[in-house]
Amino acid sequence: MAIERRRHRIEGTVQGVGFRPFVYGLATDLALTGFVLNDSAGVLVEVEGAAGAVAEFGSRLATEVPPLAVVDHMEQAPLDPIGSAVFEIRISDAGGKVAAAITPDVATCSQCLAETRDPAARRYGYPFTNCTNCGPRFTITKGIPYDRPNTTMSSFAMCEQCRAEYEDPSDRRFHAQPIACPDCGPRLRLIDCEGTELAGDPIEAAATMIRDGHIVAIKGLGGYHLSCDAADESAVAELRARKGREAKPLAVMVPSFEWACRLGDTTPDETAALASRRRPIVLVRRRSGAQVAPSVAPGNRHLGIMLPYTPLHHLLLAAVGRPIVLTSGNLSDEPIAYRDDDARARLGRIVDAFLVHDRDIHLRCDDSVVRVFDGREYPLRRARGFAPEPVTIEPSFVRPVLAAGPELKHTFCLGAGRRAIVSHHIGDLESYEAMTAFVEAVEHYTRIFEITPEVVAHDLHPEYLSTKWAQDLGGVELVGVQHHHAHIASCLADNNRTDAVIGLALDGTGYGDDGAIWGCELLICDLAGYRRAAHLSYVPMPGGAAAIREPWRMAAVYLHAAFGPAAAGLELDFVARTEERWGPVLAMAERSINSPPTSSAGRLFDAVASLCGLGDRVSYEGQVAAQLEQVADPGVLDAYPCSVSAGRIDGAELVAAAAEDLERGAPVPQVAARFHNGLAGALVRTCEKIRSDEKESGPVALSGGTWQNLLLLERVTSGLERAGLEVLVHHRVPPNDGGISLGQAVIANARSAGR
Ligand code: ZN
Ligand code: ZN
Ligand code: FE
């Protein structure tokens, strides 16, 4: 029998993810000898034995990797047999630096879940059960290397049984840093708002409170959540009132798949997204008659649903027996509470009890949110389960880059080598808390990823706190990046492309290089630069930010642009409702007093939504714009006219057509659809014109917050494809401002490489 020896080198996210026990199991299965170890490059394996077994080892190594491993590169080479006697896991090469990547938090695996449900298992009913394939990672990591002393599990001493599992290479918990059991690990308590522990089993007692209509704070992986019975209208309305959240939809956690299907018309792709180990909130079409309180997602055809992702959530949901609202633990738009004392102080007036534990959260991390478009995940908020997994890009960063990000939906991005590490969602940088969270997170990321930025990219908006922060740094090269160029570059990097594209950047607000507020821009661009080829015609935004809070102002301005003084004669509910207030607003616009010109797609949507009666005031930007998608009838295919001349898209023409249609008594779902179709048609025609005028043969990239609107996305994508154009959309980072930092980073890299 021929004896062979072979060396395998594996690179990627292969440390701290159970790779060595996996190799150990495979090698011993095949009766091979040799060793496996972690080193600075990844994992190194040598196997020796019968030629057939060595070959089988190679092919299974390539196909059966552990669930959390991400293999970037694998190579192998023959060696001379040395007659090794056993297979062993060698202690990592002490001299070499071990590059264990910090991986995202992972939903409970099926084996751990089964243990918590098995009365004979020692982890029966234990809410902190985890293993190498699942459990907390990023949110408990304090420093590197990723070892128990550098996590918030450092204060728990392993019991003998846990220690034995931790040290046994054949065990699923071999080197599982957060390993714990009821004897040695974190403990759950239910306390009232004074901090007094309540009697009984904490999970059963919390479940009873929720079923009885109370609001309970739950300490999760990345922070505190607020929960209540999702079908109980008075509880949900009470939660909204106490939290100070007027209109934004609330997420629902369901006990099981069956429940997900009872609440939503889930497609197979949405089901896959729900079940993925990242366990995001997935926006799915709400099933008619679904037993969900109206206040959960008012005016919305979609519901944000997620499955339990920790044993605590599994146990609690099983005890409640029906869906619960699970929304971030904060007051209105503050960052989510994650420290125990802070949570008690901030949430004490909102909740009736706290379900808490003594494993500290080191880093706050919200739930992620995705939609599914065209069979693929389309992220809207990238946080738990995604961060800090790098977005790999081509070409590499020439020098280490930090991108400071935007103002709203803030993330930042660290770039080095081929890795673009987009931070978890930080929130809106409008409060001291959010700004502190940003600065602390930058410090944490640069430390655990050992990246010292030499180039810092920032938005051009001089008033963004992230811009000011970057400009105060000193000692680094600064690169200012236009907001919509950053959007398109982020879509390019998301798709690993570097070619010249036509970028369709549509959003609410971005600082244009002429000082205007941009937001519907057709850019001819690559990573290094851009030229504005076309845009939505400017209209004034009377009152500036007030026009964002009061969409009726935009409707009045657009009506006036379309009809002049005759607008007041239109027989519309909108006119009857608001006309008395037009005077000062239109005068302000006419005299250009506090009325910056804007080409924002978001404001055009606001105007049409307000005309349709969806709301004259909003509690957050884009509220009625999003509702316009929700009410639109996707079966309506005809479109309002919208002319484009000299690179100006005439939004007023769309508004005029909508107003006349409403005057004729057209139903709102038809008006909303015809508006979507009209705008989509104008965008597609403009792209075709740019292609023929400018001899642009590249793809069209779609980015910006407006592309969270999947109806518009579908109409534009199919129109462009019919015209023979290739379309790039987001898959790895959000199209909204949450993806801006990635674009800033690759633009800074392209500019700094071009020098
Ligand atoms: Zn597990
Ligand atoms: Zn233990
Ligand atoms: Fe934007």
Side-chain angles (χ1 to χ4, degrees):
M1 184 173 68
I3 296 294
E4 278 184 10
R5 188 175 181 92
R6 209 159 252 284
R7 162 177 290 183
H8 296 265
R9 156 142 313 287
I10 305 109
E11 292 170 20
T13 306
V14 291
Q15 298 179 0
V17 293
F19 214 95
R20 288 174 302 165
F22 155 71
V23 168
Y24 179 90
L26 195 55
T28 47
D29 243 22
L30 295 166
L32 298 170
T33 62
F35 67 86
V36 55
L37 61 79
N38 283 345
D39 65 11
S40 57
V43 169
L44 183 70
V45 190
E46 288 187 19
V47 285
E48 182 171 331
V54 169
E56 187 181 343
F57 178 87
S59 65
R60 285 176 64 184
L61 185 64
T63 53
E64 293 178 14
V65 295
L68 300 190
V70 182
V71 175
D72 294 336
H73 182 71
M74 230 188 235
E75 62 184 36
Q76 48 171 303
L79 299 172
D80 289 331
I82 57 170
S84 46
V86 294
F87 191 89
E88 60 184 348
I89 295 184
R90 286 203 185 150
I91 296 307
S92 300
D93 179 7
K97 208 173 76 179
V98 176
I102 310 294
T103 55
D105 300 292
V106 180
T108 308
C109 73
S110 54
Q111 286 165 293
C112 285
L113 186 59
E115 283 178 62
T116 65
R117 290 173 176 169
D118 175 7
R122 70 189 192 92
R123 291 187 176 86
Y124 176 58
Y126 185 56
F128 306 98
T129 304
N130 65 78
C131 73
T132 317
N133 300 328
C134 76
R137 291 286 186 285
F138 181 52
T139 52
I140 60 165
T141 299
K142 294 194 283 189
I144 50 164
Y146 176 63
D147 259 330
R148 191 167 170 110
N150 283 325
T151 71
T152 61
M153 284 299 293
S154 59
S155 54
F156 299 92
M158 274 183 236
C159 70
E160 242 170 71
Q161 277 176 291
C162 284
R163 160 89 37 209
E165 293 167 338
Y166 182 86
E167 289 174 352
D168 176 0
S170 68
D171 194 281
R172 195 170 95 250
R173 298 199 165 89
F174 178 66
H175 281 212
Q177 308 304 344
I179 187 173
C181 80
D183 291 336
C184 68
R187 199 173 74 84
L188 201 61
R189 295 188 308 148
L190 184 69
I191 58 174
D192 65 17
C193 295
E194 275 71 54
T196 311
E197 188 163 350
L198 301 173
D201 176 79
I203 285 176
E204 286 300 334
T208 302
M209 288 189 74
I210 291 170
R211 279 199 306 263
D212 288 348
H214 294 289
I215 299 168
V216 177
I218 301 167
K219 185 175 175 183
L221 270 185
Y224 277 73
H225 285 103
L226 306 171
S227 71
C228 70
D229 183 343
D232 183 339
E233 173 60 20
S234 71
V236 179
E238 182 67 23
L239 192 160
R240 264 196 195 282
R242 292 196 204 166
K243 181 176 149 92
R245 178 145 159 168
E246 286 173 42
K248 272 189 195 170
L250 302 169
V252 170
M253 182 177 267
V254 292
S256 63
F257 260 131
E258 292 67 42
W259 270 104
C261 299
R262 261 186 248 176
L263 298 192
D265 276 320
T266 54
T267 65
D269 296 314
E270 287 165 348
T271 308
L274 276 170
S276 88
R277 59 183 160 80
R278 306 180 190 281
R279 287 286 155 100
I281 296 167
V282 183
L283 299 191
V284 302
R285 229 184 137 78
R286 170 196 207 130
R287 192 177 276 277
S288 66
Q291 285 190 6
V292 176
S295 287
V296 169
N300 216 299
R301 281 205 294 242
H302 290 79
L303 267 183
I305 293 182
M306 66 182 138
L307 288 169
Y309 52 85
T310 71
L312 168 54
H313 295 117
H314 279 288
L315 294 163
L316 180 69
L317 268 289
V320 176
R322 51 181 189 255
I324 62 171
V325 163
L326 199 68
T327 182
S328 44
N330 52 13
L331 267 170
S332 57
D333 289 325
E334 292 171 356
I336 184 170
Y338 72 109
R339 290 195 182 100
D340 297 334
D341 47 355
D342 177 52
R344 290 265 299 284
R346 279 163 63 196
L347 309 179
R349 267 176 309 208
I350 302 181
V351 304
D352 302 309
F354 289 84
L355 188 59
V356 296
H357 57 76
D358 50 357
R359 184 179 71 204
D360 286 341
I361 298 168
H362 186 71
L363 200 90
R364 90 162 40 94
C365 201
D366 292 84
D367 294 316
S368 294
V369 183
V370 307
R371 288 184 86 165
V372 170
F373 176 69
D374 207 9
R376 292 178 73 179
E377 266 183 33
Y378 191 67
L380 301 185
R381 183 164 77 196
R382 198 176 170 279
R384 176 188 50 77
F386 289 82
E389 188 175 294
V391 176
T392 50
I393 60 144
E394 205 76 71
S396 294
F397 286 99
V398 180
R399 288 190 285 162
V401 172
L402 168 64
E407 174 99 330
L408 303 179
K409 294 189 165 65
H410 181 267
T411 64
F412 61 89
C413 177
L414 271 179
R418 286 195 58 211
R419 297 182 304 167
I421 300 154
V422 179
S423 77
H424 59 288
H425 165 87
I426 307 251
D428 297 346
L429 286 195
E430 288 175 323
S431 65
Y432 174 76
E433 272 93 3
M435 199 56 205
T436 307
F438 162 48
V439 174
E440 287 176 358
V442 168
E443 190 278 326
H444 187 64
Y445 276 69
T446 50
R447 194 160 47 81
I448 64 174
F449 291 101
E450 299 182 287
I451 296 172
T452 308
E454 293 171 18
V455 180
V456 174
H458 62 81
D459 197 278
L460 288 180
H461 199 305
E463 295 304 317
Y464 278 8
L465 291 179
S466 55
T467 303
K468 292 181 172 172
W469 176 84
Q471 287 169 339
D472 285 346
L473 281 177
V476 291
E477 180 188 326
L478 288 179
V479 180
V481 179
Q482 200 280 324
H483 188 92
H484 300 93
H485 184 209
H487 270 308
I488 299 305
S490 83
C491 185
L492 277 171
D494 189 321
N495 288 277
N496 242 325
R497 298 281 288 255
T498 55
D499 33 349
V501 292
I502 302 171
L504 289 190
L506 272 68
D507 65 1
T509 306
Y511 190 81
D513 59 19
D514 59 356
I517 296 174
W518 290 11
C520 180
E521 314 304 317
L522 285 83
L523 309 177
I524 297 174
C525 66
D526 58 15
L527 295 182
Y530 71 95
R531 192 163 58 78
R532 192 185 192 200
H535 61 88
L536 192 65
S537 292
Y538 283 148
V539 291
M541 242 172 91
I548 297 176
R549 292 189 298 270
E550 299 179 14
W552 72 266
R553 292 181 184 226
M554 294 312 300
V557 161
Y558 264 113
L559 281 183
H560 222 254
F563 298 101
L570 292 164
E571 288 187 29
L572 289 175
D573 282 351
F574 174 78
V575 175
R577 199 167 67 228
T578 60
E579 199 225 328
E580 280 198 346
R581 286 178 280 165
W582 289 10
V585 161
L586 292 177
M588 186 162 38
E590 212 147 277
R591 282 184 241 134
S592 303
I593 300 164
N594 190 18
S595 298
T598 186
S599 53
S600 161
R603 298 295 80 75
L604 174 61
F605 272 83
D606 278 357
V608 175
S610 181
L611 264 190
C612 287
L614 297 178
D616 297 332
R617 299 182 64 93
V618 294
S619 61
Y620 62 95
E621 192 193 348
Q623 181 184 330
V624 291
Q627 272 169 20
L628 199 63
E629 176 199 357
Q630 293 297 325
V631 300
D633 178 351
V636 172
L637 298 177
D638 55 329
Y640 293 142
C642 178
S643 52
V644 185
S645 70
R648 300 290 182 278
I649 299 169
D650 188 1
E653 200 179 341
L654 288 170
V655 175
E660 286 165 354
D661 217 5
L662 286 166
E663 251 192 333
R664 282 192 293 268
V668 167
Q670 284 181 20
V671 173
R674 286 173 183 144
F675 164 72
H676 276 81
N677 299 342
L679 179 61
L683 292 170
V684 171
R685 276 181 280 120
T686 313
C687 286
E688 290 182 85
K689 180 143 172 51
I690 292 172
R691 179 177 60 172
S692 61
D693 288 359
E694 316 266 346
K695 310 275 175 293
E696 272 303 331
S697 57
V700 179
L702 311 184
S703 190
T706 301
W707 299 110
Q708 295 174 107
N709 179 327
L710 291 202
L711 178 62
L712 188 72
L713 184 65
E714 186 277 318
R715 294 295 199 253
V716 169
T717 305
S718 56
L720 289 170
E721 283 169 354
R722 270 198 305 277
L725 286 148
E726 185 194 359
V727 184
L728 303 178
V729 302
H730 281 278
H731 297 295
R732 298 192 287 177
V733 298
N736 58 44
D737 283 7
I740 281 274
S741 63
L742 175 63
Q744 292 175 340
V746 294
I747 289 170
N749 185 49
R751 295 217 183 125
S752 117
R755 286 227 173 100

